């Protein structure tokens, strides 16, 4: 493993490495891609801005969606494909949804072959649990710590295979030779020294964008770096208006506001009540899901005992529906003392059951909020959780519009359409991580001697851009701008949007960009979080603009995009196209384009008759 202390570069010098495939990001997507690239014979490196093992994937709780049929033999890829497309309100790239549904079971099985220990059914098969929007129980899981087991397994394999890992190393620029990728440039977080990777392929696996919002389940790393790097390199982003607000984040105490409360609580029997004690989700069943959703408490409760013959409880509608319903109840004044809604599993399951199935949730509430979830309800509310939008890629290879640039996992777009079903991210990481790693290594192998080269002037420009905040005098500190941006995105581009607020948001983003041009960083390059933030902030601003612009253009409500001024889903105008974002001519903002949806073949269309 490569660490700062092993870098060998002289003080202030530039370290340089040669690889065939450089993977930026060490979550599930990045590690699976690196394993595939290495196994295909490519010289492979993984670069990640925090420690190896500390990616979002490790926080994933509920499970990996895969139609293995262990609980319901009637489950199969076709049903999973149909659920995914319906959950995404038909804007998903159908080919990605198909590949995902077909290949996820094999990828889960492979994880087990590599040493992952899943919970078991009574028959000794991998256990599968219920989640919103999935017709059958199909999330392979390890209690409510699935991501931890997944990362542990992938990380162990990465290390075993001897793949080079550069941790606490942030990539700030992608480098190109003409239209082709030639490498990546970044810095060591500890020393501030620069580092360059000469490589004909880069796989972006940098995760999400949640840190642009004030209330979020995301951690400090998720500043949309991959999204912004891709834009600046000439690739396009798709579906950026669709941001998933998870229905259940903690609302109290303030220090942990937004921290995720897994959907497994509802999958395992938890229900939502307002301050009047009403189980309100029955009032919010949309027409689209009415035929398969229980409309009485009795029928909903029977489902937990006899899932086969009953319609699903409304608490297990897709996340966008549940988050909007919670938001409406709170707005109508039926919220809890801390501005949330009650999530109650205590009155419905035994303490033993809760502690066994939801150990992390039990400890999370006990330690952080002094609430015993086996005895009393939790207070929860929506939290910015996941971005459906990301780099537009080819479904089979994950290659972007830029030759040699691939994107995978949360920073890629298309797979989830307007709304992701729970559990479909972890499956996505494995399926498309493998595909991207294989495609990138095949492309690199085919280049022979015709490898792209890095130009000196591009390296100088990358250094100058990274150091720019040190050159300014008398400007503002990046933390203030970041806080203002987060508040603004929360207030104006949040769960419910209007045209006027989105226009205001774009004006505010322009003002933040102006302030960021003169932001100032104190001190020197050695471990300097203010400097790191000043670099990340540029990405956050670009990505925020992409979200707000796309959200303003889409004059309808669908999935993770709700317009108060256009509350209906308008299939005629908006059901046939996606919005795509590219960098504008000035290089500091974005342009918006419409793109027709790829046409689904007839043999798949039949599932939606
Ligand atoms: C609390 C929580 C629970 C969740 N539960 C589930 C679940 O049960 N099931 C499910 O399917 N999904 C779940 N999700 C979503 C899922 O975990 C994420 O979407 C997924 O893990 C993202 O994986 P990734 O590999 O794309 O990126 P991540 O795991 O987010 O990893 C990103 C990597 O990129 C690195 N990076 C970022 N920028 C740079 C840069 N500039 N230079 C170098 N490195 C960089 C980071 O350091 C990190 O290593 C959950 C998410 C959260 C937050």
């Amino acid at each position: 493993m490569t660490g700062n202390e092993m870098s060998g570069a002289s003080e202030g010098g530039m370290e340089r490495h040669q690889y065939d495939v450089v993977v930026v990001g060490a979550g599930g997507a990045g590690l699976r891609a690196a394993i595939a690239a290495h196994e295909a014979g490519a010289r492979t490196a993984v670069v990640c801005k925090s420690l190896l093992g500390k990616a979002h994937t490790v926080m994933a709780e509920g499970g990996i969606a895969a139609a293995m049929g262990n609980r319901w033999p009637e489950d199969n890829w076709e049903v999973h494909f149909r659920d995914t497309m319906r959950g995404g309100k038909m804007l998903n790239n159908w080919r990605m949804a198909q590949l995902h549904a077909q290949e996820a079971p094999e990828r889960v099985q492979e994880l087990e072959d590599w040493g992952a220990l899943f919970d078991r059914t009574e028959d000794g098969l991998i256990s599968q649990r219920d989640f919103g929007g999935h017709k059958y129980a199909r999330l392979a899981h390890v209690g409510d710590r699935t991501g931890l087991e997944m990362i542990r397994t992938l990380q162990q394999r990465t290390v075993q295979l001897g793949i080079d890992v550069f941790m606490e190393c942030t990539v700030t620029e992608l480098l190109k030779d003409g239209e082709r990728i030639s490498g990546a440039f970044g810095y060591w977080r500890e020393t501030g020294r620069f580092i360059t990777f000469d490589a004909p392929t880069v796989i972006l696996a940098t995760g999400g964008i949640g840190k642009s919002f004030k209330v979020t389940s995301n951690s400090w790393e998720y500043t949309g770096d991959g999204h912004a790097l891709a834009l600046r390199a000439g690739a396009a982003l798709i579906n950026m208006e669709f941001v998933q607000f998870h229905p259940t984040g903690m609302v109290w105490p303030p220090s942990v506001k937004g921290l995720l409360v897994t959907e497994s609580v509802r999958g395992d029997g938890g229900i939502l009540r307002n301050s009047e004690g009403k189980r309100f989700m029955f009032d919010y069943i949309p027409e689209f899901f009415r035929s398969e959703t229980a409309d009485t408490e009795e029928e909903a409760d029977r489902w937990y005992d006899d899932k086969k013959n009953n319609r699903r409880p409304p608490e297990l509608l897709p996340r966008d529906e549940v988050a909007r319903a919670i938001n409406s109840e709170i707005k109508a004044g039926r919220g809890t003392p801390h501005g949330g809604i009650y999530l109650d599993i205590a009155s419905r399951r035994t303490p033993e059951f809760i502690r066994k199935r939801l150990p992390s949730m039990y400890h999370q509430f006990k330690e952080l909020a002094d609430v015993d979830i086996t005895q009393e309800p939790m207070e929860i509310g929506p939290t910015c959780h996941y971005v459906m939008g990301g780099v537009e890629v080819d479904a089979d290879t994950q290659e972007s519009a830029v030759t040699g640039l691939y994107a995978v996992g949360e920073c890629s777009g298309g797979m989830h359409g307007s709304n992701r079903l729970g559990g479909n991210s972890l499956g996505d990481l494995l399926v498309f991580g493998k595909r991207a790693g294989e495609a990138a290594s095949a492309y690199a192998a085919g280049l022979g001697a015709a490898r792209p080269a890095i130009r000196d002037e591009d390296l100088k420009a990358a250094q100058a851009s990274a150091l720019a905040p040190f050159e300014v005098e008398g400007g503002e500190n990046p933390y203030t701008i970041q806080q203002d941006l987060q508040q603004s995105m929360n207030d104006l581009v949040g769960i419910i949007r209007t045209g006027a607020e989105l226009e205001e948001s774009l004006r505010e983003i322009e003002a933040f960009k102006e302030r960021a041009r003169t932001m100032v960083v104190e001190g020197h390059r050695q471990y300097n979080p203010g400097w790191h933030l000043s670099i990340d902030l540029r990405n956050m601003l670009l990505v925020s603009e992409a979200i707000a612009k796309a959200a303003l253009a889409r004059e309808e409500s669908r999935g993770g995009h709700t317009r108060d001024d256009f509350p209906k889903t308008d299939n005629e105008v908006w059901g046939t196209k996606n919005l795509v974002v590219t960098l504008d001519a000035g290089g500091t903002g974005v342009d918006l384009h419409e793109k027709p949806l790829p046409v689904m073949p007839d043999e798949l269309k039949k599932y939606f008759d």
Side-chain angles (χ1 to χ4, degrees):
M1 190 171 305
T2 309
N4 294 3
E5 68 289 356
M6 296 182 198
S7 67
S10 59
E11 186 63 37
M14 166 88 75
E15 198 180 324
R16 211 154 163 166
H17 300 266
Q18 299 260 348
Y19 288 99
D20 299 322
V21 177
V22 169
V23 181
V24 187
L31 292 179
R32 188 62 191 84
I35 292 168
H38 175 91
E39 287 180 338
R43 288 172 303 156
T44 306
V46 178
V47 190
C48 53
K49 75 181 189 184
S50 62
L51 292 170
L52 182 63
K54 209 235 125 265
H56 254 155
T57 306
V58 84
M59 296 156 76
E61 294 159 358
I64 313 170
M68 307 177 87
N70 291 354
R71 289 246 177 238
W72 298 104
E74 46 274 77
D75 196 11
N76 56 41
W77 78 261
E78 282 109 327
V79 188
H80 190 182
F81 167 71
R82 176 176 164 273
D83 291 348
T84 301
M85 293 294 302
R86 280 162 53 100
K89 307 275 158 57
M90 304 304 288
L91 281 201
N92 321 53
N93 177 310
W94 64 264
R95 176 71 180 151
M96 290 174 92
Q98 180 193 27
L99 289 171
H100 174 253
Q102 287 174 332
E103 295 176 9
E106 215 178 312
R107 297 285 75 76
V108 171
Q109 199 57 58
E110 177 181 74
L111 269 192
E112 185 172 62
D113 296 344
W114 293 348
L117 294 169
F118 289 99
D119 288 357
R120 320 303 296 180
T121 64
E122 303 71 34
D123 306 330
L125 302 171
I126 291 177
S127 171
Q128 301 197 266
R129 67 156 41 117
D130 282 296
F131 248 47
H134 292 280
K135 183 169 165 94
Y136 297 113
R138 64 163 76 97
L139 267 73
H141 61 100
V142 186
D144 56 2
R145 295 175 180 143
T146 312
L148 177 63
E149 187 64 2
M150 180 165 163
I151 276 289
R152 187 192 65 74
T153 308
L154 293 173
Q155 186 179 319
Q156 203 160 314
R157 189 159 181 87
T158 302
V159 172
Q160 250 171 15
L161 292 173
I163 297 171
D164 290 344
V165 179
F166 296 75
M167 52 184 176
E168 300 205 283
C169 184
T170 302
V171 169
T172 61
E173 300 286 346
L174 297 176
L175 303 163
K176 282 170 71 181
D177 182 351
E179 293 310 305
R180 300 183 301 163
I181 284 292
S182 58
F185 170 91
Y187 67 92
W188 289 107
R189 297 179 73 80
E190 189 182 335
T191 60
R193 267 190 287 129
F194 293 127
I195 178 165
T196 300
F197 299 92
D198 287 79
T201 70
V202 170
I203 301 178
L204 296 171
T206 52
I209 56 97
K211 268 297 163 195
S212 291
F213 289 80
K214 188 173 176 205
V215 179
T216 178
S217 65
N218 289 194
S219 70
W220 66 269
E221 287 160 87
Y222 301 103
T223 49
D225 295 5
H227 291 75
L229 287 167
L231 267 183
R232 286 201 294 267
L237 304 184
I238 190 167
N239 291 344
M240 288 306 289
E241 65 275 37
F242 299 115
V243 177
Q244 182 166 82
F245 291 84
H246 194 290
T248 60
M250 290 179 79
V251 294
W252 184 259
S255 57
V256 294
K257 191 165 178 171
L259 197 66
L260 196 76
V261 180
T262 177
E263 190 166 329
S264 316
V265 178
R266 283 172 286 136
D268 284 350
I271 58 168
L272 296 163
R273 289 192 197 281
N274 63 21
S275 57
E276 295 164 2
K278 182 172 180 191
R279 191 171 168 185
F280 58 83
M281 277 308 299
F282 293 102
D283 298 341
Y284 294 92
I285 302 169
E287 215 36 61
F288 197 66
F289 292 103
R290 189 161 286 285
S291 64
E292 61 211 55
T293 310
D295 50 16
T296 63
E297 288 211 32
E298 198 202 0
E299 188 185 11
D301 288 346
R302 247 189 303 137
W303 179 83
Y304 289 104
D305 308 322
D306 176 16
K307 292 175 178 171
K308 207 159 204 163
N309 300 317
N310 298 298
R311 298 182 299 169
R312 298 163 64 81
E315 282 85 2
L316 290 179
L317 281 163
R319 288 176 178 173
D320 53 327
E321 309 290 354
V322 184
R324 268 192 300 272
I326 292 173
N327 195 62
S328 302
E329 287 295 306
I330 297 169
K331 269 197 162 168
R334 295 186 286 272
T336 62
H338 297 115
I341 279 295
Y342 292 114
L343 171 59
D344 172 24
I345 192 162
S347 70
R348 300 175 52 86
R349 297 285 178 263
T350 63
E352 295 70 41
F353 177 95
I354 297 168
R355 275 195 293 265
K356 176 157 187 280
R357 297 276 295 191
L358 303 162
S360 301
M361 288 304 105
Y362 175 74
H363 288 295
Q364 182 171 312
F365 273 89
K366 196 91 194 91
E367 277 160 32
L368 301 176
D370 198 22
V371 167
D372 181 349
I373 68 168
T374 68
Q375 304 299 322
E376 48 188 320
M378 299 157 244
E379 280 184 71
I380 55 85
T383 178
C384 174
H385 182 57
Y386 183 90
V387 63
M388 270 67 73
V391 184
E392 190 186 23
V393 290
D394 172 73
D396 287 69
T397 62
Q398 302 287 111
E399 192 174 21
S400 73
V402 177
T403 306
L405 182 62
Y406 301 74
V408 68
E410 191 167 340
C411 80
S412 68
M415 157 72 200
H416 305 284
S418 69
N419 174 53
R420 173 179 72 91
L421 294 187
N424 268 1
S425 172
L426 295 190
D428 166 358
L429 313 182
L430 296 173
V431 167
F432 295 106
K434 178 172 188 288
R435 285 182 158 270
E438 287 171 353
S441 62
Y443 164 73
L447 284 172
R451 286 169 72 100
I454 293 176
R455 298 183 313 169
D456 279 349
E457 56 263 45
D458 289 341
L459 280 185
K460 282 192 191 125
Q463 291 188 47
S465 164
L467 294 174
F470 285 111
E471 308 298 321
V472 181
E473 271 176 33
E476 220 178 323
N477 125 17
Y479 290 100
T480 328
I481 307 174
Q482 185 200 30
Q483 271 171 20
D484 292 351
L485 172 70
Q486 289 169 331
Q487 186 70 57
S488 168
M489 289 299 284
N490 233 73
D491 295 346
L492 305 174
V493 197
I495 187 164
I496 309 286
R497 302 157 173 180
T498 67
E501 286 179 351
L502 290 166
E503 278 167 7
E504 192 185 337
S505 142
L506 284 165
R507 281 193 297 274
E508 292 196 356
I509 291 169
E510 269 318 304
F512 297 141
K513 277 159 69 177
E514 198 47 50
R515 284 163 64 186
R517 260 174 222 125
T518 55
M519 70 190 151
V520 61
V521 170
E522 308 266 321
H524 45 72
R525 277 160 60 184
Q526 273 153 359
Y527 198 81
N528 185 337
W531 178 42
H532 304 168
L533 178 61
S534 72
I535 293 174
D536 294 347
L537 192 55
R538 293 192 283 220
N539 300 332
M540 294 169 81
L541 287 164
L542 199 56
V543 168
S544 298
E545 183 179 334
I547 295 171
K549 249 193 186 154
L552 179 61
R554 184 173 283 276
E555 295 185 332
E556 67 154 356
S557 294
R558 184 188 296 264
H561 168 66
T562 304
R563 287 281 300 261
D564 217 16
D565 42 357
F566 295 96
K568 293 220 164 73
T569 301
D570 181 350
N571 276 325
E572 215 158 289
V573 178
W574 289 102
T576 54
K577 60 191 172 193
N578 280 312
L579 289 172
V580 167
V581 167
T582 53
L583 197 69
D584 68 11
T588 56
V590 298
D591 287 331
L592 205 59
H593 320 268
E594 293 185 357
K595 196 165 181 177
L597 283 184
V599 181
M600 189 187 287
D602 289 342
E603 72 261 24
L604 295 179
K605 269 193 198 144
K606 68 175 186 230
Y607 299 120
F608 306 97
D609 284 347

